[in-house]
Amino acid sequence: MKIIEVAQELMRFRTETGNEKEINSAMDYIKNTMTLVGAKVDVFTKKGVAPVIMIRNHNSLDFDALVLGHIDVVPADDKMFNPVIKGKNLYGRGSLDMKSFAAVAMNSMQYVIENKLPIKFGVLLSSDEEKGSKGTKAFLEKYAKIKADVVLDNDVGGDVTKIIAKCKNPVFVKIKAKGKEAHGSRPWEGIDANELMFAVISNIRKIYPAYDLEGKKPRNKWVDTLHFARIEGGKVANIISDYCEALCDFRLIETSTVDGLVKNLKKCMVKGVDFEIVSSSVPVVMNEKNPKILEYKKLAEKILGKKIKFEYEGGATDAREFAIRGSTVIMHSGSGDGMHAPEEYVEIESVEKLAEIQIAFLEKLALAKAE
């Protein structure tokens, strides 16, 4: 399979989360491509959630290895859906996050089938990962018995010389401030919900400081973080706001708990302001001495001709759903930059090397199983 060409084909589909027509077209492309090489392909659909495509070389829900990823992307200008190769890089929306690596997984499936590797192999691609992975959750509810010894997660990092050993727990919190309307010229007759929100934000920042280009950087970056994704309050310029709402994105390390976050937030509230946990998950933490991870690392170092380092990542991953089921999760992707940005790109050589590493690891699993 010509991986970069397949990646470009996938990138041409405007699969922004929620764009059903384009997502369905991309799913059809993947299904047709994989069916032609002899794979068993099922597209899971359920009203109200985005589809998930499952590709297998067998009929059971028990996998020796399962590649996990997604085909949806964040919004972008039209030109970013016309992939361009410049020098050694592939530019465009989804190049790094993560259609190139979906193409790698498809290539691995073709290799496993054509070479008749004696392993139960699968690829699982969701289409709403960028907005909470509700489709994946619905899929796992239906296929509750699915399990995988090893999960290869290519949707992390952005450096082929690093394996991610830990991912944080994303916790989204909504803060709601209720005030009292009054004319803007007579603030003493009202209660400004925006001012209440400012007070709460100030209290929160004493516990969870701001880390940005203008703020201080932590010496140790493996810390709890927070950014205010959205703050909305007020209707028009001359009316005191009676309501303000903030959406907060917390990323908690493995030693922090949601209960601990709730306790901290309660201390930060003022009269008229309350909060709710919108969603939370679990961190993904892998033992760096896990034999399967070390075997993968050894193969990767041999193919790359470089040492591989372990790294910790603040972003979340759908692999958490399998980590809590006992799977060994190997979080490794190709190199690039500009994820979610106008100049998103992936280094073509890193995509090709990742494909080599993945196949070498699957061959190793097949050899061990044959013995």
Side-chain angles (χ1 to χ4, degrees), residues 274-323:
D274 202 355
F275 69 92
E276 65 173 301
I277 304 294
V278 176
S279 67
S280 66
S281 184
V282 293
V284 177
V285 180
M286 289 291 114
N287 185 343
E288 294 171 23
K289 295 182 180 180
N290 181 300
K292 291 186 178 69
I293 295 177
L294 290 177
E295 184 61 50
Y296 181 98
K297 181 174 179 285
K298 182 179 177 181
L299 290 169
E301 289 176 336
K302 182 178 179 181
I303 290 168
L304 292 172
K306 298 177 181 179
K307 285 289 184 183
I308 297 282
K309 295 180 180 179
F310 286 110
E311 188 175 57
Y312 301 161
E313 171 62 46
T317 169
D318 280 348
R320 60 187 179 271
E321 301 292 346
F322 287 89

Side-chain angles (χ1 to χ4, degrees), residues 100-119:
S100 296
F101 311 132
V104 168
M106 292 166 68
N107 177 73
S108 294
M109 179 60 72
Q110 180 175 343
Y111 184 91
V112 167
I113 291 173
E114 290 182 349
N115 290 274
K116 298 179 181 179
L117 296 190
I119 58 172

Side-chain angles (χ1 to χ4, degrees), residues 171-176 243 245-248 250 258 261-262 265 269 273-280:
V171 183
F172 296 100
V173 176
K174 185 181 288 185
I175 302 174
K176 295 175 282 188
Y243 183 77
E245 184 175 292
L247 180 62
C248 311
F250 288 88
V258 176
L261 172 62
V262 168
L265 289 176
M269 296 300 111
V273 185
D274 202 355
F275 69 92
E276 65 173 301
I277 304 294
V278 176
S279 67
S280 66

Side-chain angles (χ1 to χ4, degrees), residues 4-23:
I4 299 303
E5 289 184 12
V6 172
Q8 289 175 294
E9 285 298 318
L10 290 172
M11 289 168 64
R12 290 188 180 99
F13 293 104
R14 192 171 188 134
T15 56
E16 293 162 315
T17 313
N19 188 340
E20 294 182 16
K21 183 179 178 181
E22 288 291 292
I23 286 172

